Amino acid sequence: MSDTEKTGSAHLKQPLLWGRFSPLVLIVALIGLVLDQATKLWLVHGFDLAANGPVGLLPVVDIVLVWNRGISYGLFQQHSDLGRWLLAGLTVVVTVGLWIWSARCASRLLALALALVIGGAVGNGIDRLAYGAVVDFVHFHVGTFSWYVFNLADVWIVAGVVGLLYDSFQNGPNSAAK
């Protein structure tokens, strides 16, 4: 058998939807999703942050209600139904792609990083479908400096991206793509 045939047959044997770390990815993504949605539901409906906020927690942290109709850092704001549904569709496509990647990954760190991104993406996607915007509520500020307002799903996504970057540098170029 030639090297090309071996590579081709090995590539075909890679799992598409369920792999070695898929149970870990599913559990971590679900835990992240549940924590994200529980905090948002409580702040929006239980505490009624729109009526009772903002709430100062620390001199540098407030809980405020911001409806983000865009993506990260409020980029690409969408005020139409078409834009909302396009962003929701993009979330689905990206999440499926990340899941397929996670089914093929060979390290626990990479699987954990992908799980965090998936959990965060699904959490923000649910908001977009339910409210037409993502619920953001944590606001860091120091003096006149104000950081963007974010939620737990954003924390999961950033932590996952940090894990992906660490994995790519830890194992050499192109390791995350394997």
Side-chain angles (χ1 to χ4, degrees):
M1 184 179 285
S2 72
D3 287 341
T4 305
E5 291 172 331
K6 287 179 187 174
T7 304
S9 65
H11 179 69
L12 293 175
K13 291 181 184 177
Q14 286 187 328
L16 179 63
L17 296 176
W18 196 262
R20 175 178 169 201
F21 294 110
S22 293
L24 172 70
V25 172
L26 182 61
I27 290 168
V28 170
L30 284 175
I31 289 171
L33 172 63
V34 167
L35 290 172
D36 172 67
Q37 288 296 297
T39 57
K40 291 172 182 175
L41 286 169
W42 182 76
L43 286 169
V44 170
H45 300 289
F47 180 72
D48 193 6
L49 187 58
N52 296 316
V55 177
L57 289 182
L58 298 170
V60 295
V61 178
D62 294 335
I63 301 298
V64 300
L65 180 60
V66 173
W67 295 101
N68 181 356
R69 297 186 186 285
I71 59 172
S72 297
Y73 303 102
L75 297 172
F76 309 117
Q77 291 291 311
Q78 302 297 313
H79 296 286
S80 69
D81 280 342
L82 175 63
R84 168 189 180 187
W85 291 108
L86 285 174
L87 286 177
L90 179 63
T91 299
V92 171
V93 169
V94 168
T95 302
V96 168
L98 291 171
W99 180 265
I100 291 170
W101 184 7
S102 75
R104 296 173 174 205
C105 71
S107 77
R108 189 177 309 274
L109 172 62
L110 182 56
L112 177 62
L114 291 167
L116 289 170
V117 176
I118 290 168
V122 172
N124 282 342
I126 288 171
D127 288 4
R128 194 168 310 288
L129 294 174
Y131 306 114
V134 174
V135 178
D136 287 331
F137 57 88
V138 180
H139 180 220
F140 278 110
H141 55 86
V142 178
T144 59
F145 174 77
S146 176
W147 190 247
Y148 75 105
V149 182
F150 60 95
N151 58 45
L152 288 180
D154 297 332
V155 172
W156 309 151
I157 292 168
V158 169
V161 168
V162 168
L164 291 172
L165 289 171
Y166 178 81
D167 180 73
S168 71
F169 290 118
Q170 181 76 12
N171 295 314
N174 299 322
S175 66
K178 292 180 182 174

